[in-house]
Amino acid sequence: MARSATVRVLRDRTAGLFLTAVVVSGFGTSAMWLAAGVWVKSLTGSDSLAALAVFTMWLPVLVGPALGTIADRIPRKPLLVRSNLVMAALLTSLVMVDSAGRIWILFAVLVLYGTSFVLMDAAESALVAGAVDARLLGDFNGLRMMANEGMKLLAPLVGAALYARFGGGAVALLDAVSFALAAGVYALLPAPVPVPAAPAAPADKRGELAAGMRQLWRSPVLRPLVLAGSVTMLCAGLNGAAVYAVVDDGLGHSPTYAGVLYAMQGAGSVAVGLLAGPLLRRLPERVFTAAGISLFAVAVGARALPYDAVALAASAAIGIGLPCVLIAAMTAVQRETPDAVLGRTTATANTLLMAPNAVALALGAGLVALVDIRVLLPATGAAALLTAVLLVTGRRMGPPLPERSREPGDG
């Protein structure tokens, strides 16, 4: 059954084009993600500015609801094509960044980089929801996660080698090519099926921007999933901030060993991508999400143990558990949200899911210096486990999940 559903997704021309675009653009993005921090560090010698480079790419997530409004107001296929072309052009300007005095160009492009991804993710989610069979959305989102994580295993190595040989400009040009190719793939998408006209916009801008939040908060399906996801991603940020302490203090390895742990986590995420769709058809979203959070929680707590085998297994388990939260939440958003506000709702959900991770990364950097990881990691795991319990019991996270009659053909 799992193979059949996966084959159906891959044989669907529209779904296949979306996945191709994810692979193409994801390769360049993963390479650039690594190169940005290294580039800033090599030109300025500043660790804080290098960290700020990565944070700059995250920053536009905080204004996701406003960017999602744009995705609801502009035809989405042209938006995807033009956004990719604009980013391809902007990235070519980075060949001029050859000194600390020009580093501002890199930061400006990185802000626009993050902005484009929030905008394109909202537009893509809305297009996918209208083009892919609702019963296969979980499979599609699982395959999308698998494609993204697969690129993270390969592209950073290519980006690092390219940077070492030719410098940051070469990585930027590689990324520019990936954006241009993605624009070409999106241009091949069929024209979206027209939907009924959206209801009249709210009288004030604040009400329009809040439409996505209202959709999430009023839905007994979406609210508990997104709230649980927010708490889990907060815990994930604390776990991520502690990774070098785990490698050094816990395992006694050099910092480069973190790459091995990240590779194991990526492998787990690739594996769960194939299983997410079939499991979502057999389990309520809350149960599927709670299971993923529980696996993540146990693995985070286990990272406090000073054993290589445990650390590797825990990294793989985190890679399996954490994507379940994101896949379930975004699939539910696509299924439950009217097209007229789907861009805003997707972007708002992404903000609520991703912003806590960025905040916790900064908070965790301070906590690691003050709290022993043998205390911090089990406490973080316990908080995540409590979140899973509250989600599956329905307490404090909204009414119980309705019967899933909305998916005809589910077994």
Side-chain angles (χ1 to χ4, degrees), residues 101-389:
R102 292 184 173 180
I103 204 69
W104 66 269
I105 300 175
L106 176 58
F107 278 100
V109 171
L110 291 179
V111 170
L112 295 173
Y113 201 113
T115 300
S116 72
F117 268 97
V118 175
L119 189 60
M120 289 190 290
D121 191 65
E124 181 186 292
S125 180
L127 281 175
V128 166
V132 176
D133 187 335
R135 290 168 293 183
L136 298 177
L137 282 173
D139 298 273
F140 175 87
N141 288 323
L143 290 172
R144 188 180 189 275
M145 177 71 69
M146 184 177 70
N148 267 325
E149 295 301 322
M151 290 303 99
K152 290 178 184 178
L153 291 176
L154 175 63
L157 299 176
V158 175
L162 200 59
Y163 182 91
R165 181 67 178 86
F166 300 105
V171 182
L173 291 177
L174 170 67
D175 201 11
V177 170
S178 76
F179 271 105
L181 291 174
V185 174
Y186 283 126
L188 297 176
L189 289 171
V193 177
V195 295
D204 61 287
K205 293 292 184 181
R206 183 180 300 178
E208 186 174 0
L209 293 176
M213 180 63 76
R214 286 198 303 271
Q215 176 66 24
L216 292 174
W217 189 251
R218 292 174 181 175
S219 169
V221 176
L222 301 181
R223 182 172 68 235
L225 292 176
V226 173
L227 287 177
S230 295
V231 176
T232 304
M233 294 306 292
L234 183 73
C235 294
L238 294 175
N239 170 68
V243 66
Y244 288 105
V246 169
V247 169
D248 184 13
D249 301 335
L251 302 176
H253 292 296
S254 68
T256 56
Y257 191 75
V260 178
L261 300 184
Y262 281 128
M264 288 297 295
Q265 183 172 329
S269 297
V270 169
V272 79
L274 288 172
L275 300 175
L279 289 174
L280 275 171
R281 279 193 295 276
R282 289 164 173 77
L283 299 172
E285 284 102 338
R286 285 196 191 187
V287 175
F288 175 79
T289 304
I293 297 173
S294 299
L295 181 60
F296 163 79
V298 172
V300 169
R303 271 189 158 179
L305 298 174
Y307 306 110
D308 280 10
V310 173
L312 292 171
S315 294
I318 289 170
I320 294 171
L322 200 55
C324 295
V325 181
L326 303 177
I327 292 171
M330 298 317 298
T331 300
V333 166
Q334 290 170 324
R335 286 174 175 156
E336 298 289 331
T337 306
D339 181 82
V341 293
L342 185 48
R344 276 166 284 182
T345 306
T346 296
T348 302
N350 277 330
T351 296
L352 294 174
L353 290 170
M354 297 306 174
N357 184 264
V359 171
L361 282 169
L363 177 64
L367 284 176
V368 167
L370 300 173
V371 183
D372 193 296
I373 58 170
R374 290 172 294 182
V375 175
L376 178 62
L377 291 175
T380 301
L385 194 59
L386 177 61
T387 301
V389 172

